[in-house]
DNA sequence: GTCTATACACAGATAGAC
DNA sequence: GTCTATCTGTGTATAGAC
């Protein structure tokens, strides 16, 4: 029976899941290792330390959004269709993301302690807002578009917190619907 | 030089401040004791354990909102004036609350691990929503009022996360202004 | 790449002197 | 009510065998 090689990405995904559901500081290296069927010492073969796991986790999610969601703004679709596609992908992501939004969670838990984390989180929300604003500018003024984008992201983030508490899917989906009604 | 008696409320306030800014699990009994000019063992004279501090912290903030903000719904004022007063007090609270909203923060960090915490947090948001909905029902249908209340709370909570990241006061204040524009 | 073993620091918590 | 002292568990991290 060959020893299974655990990929870095596999460990990262397990770590992300734990960070989201039980918090960063409340997740130990042993917890992460357990999830991967490893022993805690083995994780250090893949990552220098716990901080590096957190950092790569933030980058991983941020890049996922860049590649799979924010990139939609440049597709050859109508304003409404672009927004619809982004909202659908965003809703799908968060409906299935147990524990909510990693970047928002680490923003409250860790960012005041770690400037490197904070910079990534700030950038994530900035890029997200710019993505939506760019699309909305096709129908609104620059200022109105920015305000709508910002408000949507805030409302969605608040709604994700509520979704984690109450499990009410419809209320989460309403947020995207209301944005779509505006174009 | 007499030994200073530290009150339970004093310890609670220091603990709340630390929980908000650096997270619950990342705050040790020694951290809390330090803030109070005590040694960690002394905290146990006032609280059974760390979990109890978290629990009382949640109750303390929840009761503050009940007494000082949510109670405004029953004052003898016009719809607009009641809402205005609530928004002003809410904005004031969060503009000065370093680290954001304790209940929202613990919702993401701890609530999935602790049903007692979760129940208090769920109730806090429920009472908040009912408070706003009751006022809004003076001008809107029950369903519309509930939706507006829910949306405002979500947007504000998201905005508090952003405020912690960017320190942009105006964007936080916009949320309340937009609610007021609706009555 | 994973394991065993271990070092070391710090966590939460308790006992008892003052 | 606060202190000193201490227990015990667990945290992060490392060294070296397989």
């Amino acid at each position: 029976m060959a020893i299974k090689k655990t990929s870095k990405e596999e460990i990262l995904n397990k770590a992300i899941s734990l960070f989201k559901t039980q918090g960063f500081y409340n997740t130990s290296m042993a917890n992460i290792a357990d999830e991967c069927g490893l022993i805690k010492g083995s994780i250090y073969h893949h990552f220098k330390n716990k901080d590096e796991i957190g950092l790569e986790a933030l980058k991983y999610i941020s890049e996922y959004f860049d590649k799979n969601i924010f990139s939609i703004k440049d597709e050859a679709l109508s304003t409404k269709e672009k927004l619809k596609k982004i909202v659908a992908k965003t809703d799908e992501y968060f409906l299935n993301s147990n524990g909510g939004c990693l970047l928002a969670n680490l923003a409250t838990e860790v960012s005041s302690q770690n400037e490197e984390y904070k910079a990534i989180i700030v950038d994530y929300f900035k890029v997200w807002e710019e993505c939506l604003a760019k699309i909305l500018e096709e129908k609104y003024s620059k200022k109105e578009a920015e305000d709508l984008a910002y408000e949507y992201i805030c409302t969605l983030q608040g709604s994700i917190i509520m979704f984690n508490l109450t499990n009410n899917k419809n209320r989460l989906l309403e947020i995207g619907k209301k944005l779509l009604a505006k174009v």
Side-chain angles (χ1 to χ4, degrees), chain A:
Chain A
M1 195 162 72
I3 292 169
K4 195 201 165 200
K5 289 188 193 177
T6 308
S7 75
K8 203 169 169 173
E9 189 169 0
E10 211 172 320
I11 297 171
L12 207 50
N13 273 307
K14 301 285 190 187
I16 287 168
S17 175
L18 288 169
F19 291 159
K20 282 192 297 181
T21 52
Q22 47 175 50
F24 178 79
Y25 293 115
N26 190 41
T27 299
S28 68
M29 296 300 273
N31 291 155
I32 298 168
D34 274 357
E35 281 293 303
C36 302
L38 295 173
I39 205 156
K40 62 178 174 175
S42 305
I43 303 289
Y44 290 89
H45 176 75
H46 302 271
F47 297 92
K48 199 177 72 199
N49 52 36
K50 191 183 172 185
D51 255 23
E52 191 179 273
I53 302 181
L55 191 65
E56 295 211 15
L58 290 171
K59 286 181 183 168
Y60 185 83
I61 302 293
S62 180
E63 278 163 24
Y64 174 88
F65 273 80
D66 280 340
K67 193 184 288 182
N68 297 285
I69 302 181
F70 302 156
S71 63
I72 294 168
K73 75 173 185 302
D74 299 315
E75 290 183 10
L77 295 168
S78 72
T79 303
K80 181 102 187 181
E81 277 169 339
K82 274 187 283 193
L83 214 54
K84 208 169 172 176
K85 197 167 169 185
I86 288 179
V87 165
K89 289 237 182 192
T90 306
D91 285 346
E92 188 208 347
Y93 178 86
F94 287 114
L95 280 175
N96 297 298
S97 169
N98 220 289
C101 174
L102 179 74
L103 282 93
N105 293 3
L106 291 211
T108 62
E109 197 184 352
V110 192
S111 87
S112 72
Q113 316 290 304
N114 186 321
E115 287 302 320
E116 206 173 3
Y117 282 21
K118 186 172 175 172
I120 293 172
I121 296 165
V122 168
D123 188 65
Y124 166 77
F125 286 117
K126 188 169 148 272
V127 171
W128 191 351
E129 187 184 319
E130 283 168 359
C131 162
L132 295 176
K134 195 192 161 193
I135 297 170
L136 289 162
E137 271 182 57
E138 296 166 15
K139 303 250 179 170
Y140 289 92
S141 75
K142 190 176 168 64
K143 165 94 172 100
E144 283 169 331
E146 281 170 0
D147 281 357
L148 281 173
Y150 172 76
E151 207 182 325
Y152 163 77
I153 293 168
C154 287
T155 314
L156 183 65
Q157 286 296 335
S159 203
I160 289 164
I161 295 171
M162 300 305 161
F163 178 59
N164 262 291
L165 290 169
T166 63
N167 239 323
N168 187 327
K169 282 189 190 189
N170 288 334
R171 281 196 142 177
L172 185 66
L173 293 170
E174 272 302 314
I175 311 304
K177 279 187 202 160
K178 285 197 180 166
L179 179 68
L180 289 175
K182 285 173 183 154
V183 297

